[in-house]
Amino acid sequence: MPDISLTMIVLLCLAALAAGWIDAVVGGGGLLLLPVLLLGLPSHTPAAHALGTNKAVAIVGTTGAAVTYARKAPVDVRTAVRIGLAALAGSSAGAFFAAGMSTDVLKPVIMVVLLGVAGFVILRPAFGTAPATGPATRRQILAAIGLAGLGIGFYDGLIGPGTGTFLVLALTAVLHLDLVSASATAKIVNCCTNAGALATFAWQGAVLWQLAALMAVFNLAGGTLGAHTALKKGSGFVRVVLLTVVFALVANLAYEQWLA
């Protein structure tokens, strides 16, 4: 356990609880959890340890949310696992390249994409509210494997923030899912992206396991509660949270790019 105060440990656990809820509803819990870890850990702690610990915490909450969704939401588990395996490979590759690549040039591009997505969701109120019309076609599944699996998986290992949100948007658009079903599918895929990146960080010795285990208990509770909330409130509620998280992600990336 790092040498941090009891007060900071409590704050980290509460942040893990809130991040688990946000991540289960629409993704993006790392927007809260990772900055709190970076601020809460001793200043001499390498940033990689915060990233690795974040993955170790997040995978527990994401798994809890995935199990809750799989029990109560219409999820094509087979398709989700196929996308997830591609995402595992993508995130492992992204984490491998992260050490030697500057992400500063990518952040403005991601901000523009997110703002475009937010505008699309605002101008298309019906986006993600209609139930799926039927089983996904082979072409749709292959497109989801390429975009949501390999593409977003690579992004998760390379940069990370907002991966769950990107997955929800991509799965809604490509597989024509409603937002609740897309969130459910995204949790299964996100388990795989977290596993791929975590394996790389663990191999590098960049995980604070004792702290992660404590925070993971709270993240699991938040993830399970968030999944129940999304299932109860429906796609309209998820849409509001989605837009909130998208704008928070843009603000966070802008701060890191130009103000930090």
Side-chain angles (χ1 to χ4, degrees), residues 89-117:
S91 64
S92 299
F96 179 79
F97 283 104
M101 182 179 294
S102 173
T103 59
D104 289 341
V105 69
L106 296 177
K107 289 178 181 177
V109 176
I110 295 168
M111 281 186 276
V112 171
V113 171
L114 281 170
L115 287 172
V117 165

Side-chain angles (χ1 to χ4, degrees), residues 151-219:
I152 297 177
F154 184 85
Y155 167 81
D156 188 34
L158 184 67
I159 305 176
T163 295
T165 305
F166 279 127
L167 284 172
V168 171
L169 291 167
L171 292 169
T172 302
V174 175
L175 298 181
H176 299 163
L177 301 175
D178 64 86
L179 287 171
V180 173
S181 296
S183 292
T185 306
K187 291 307 103 187
I188 298 174
V189 177
N190 211 180
C191 285
C192 296
T193 66
N194 284 337
L198 176 60
T200 302
F201 284 121
W203 177 70
Q204 295 172 344
V207 180
L208 303 171
W209 291 109
Q210 288 181 308
L211 179 61
L214 180 60
M215 294 174 63
V217 174
F218 289 84
N219 194 250

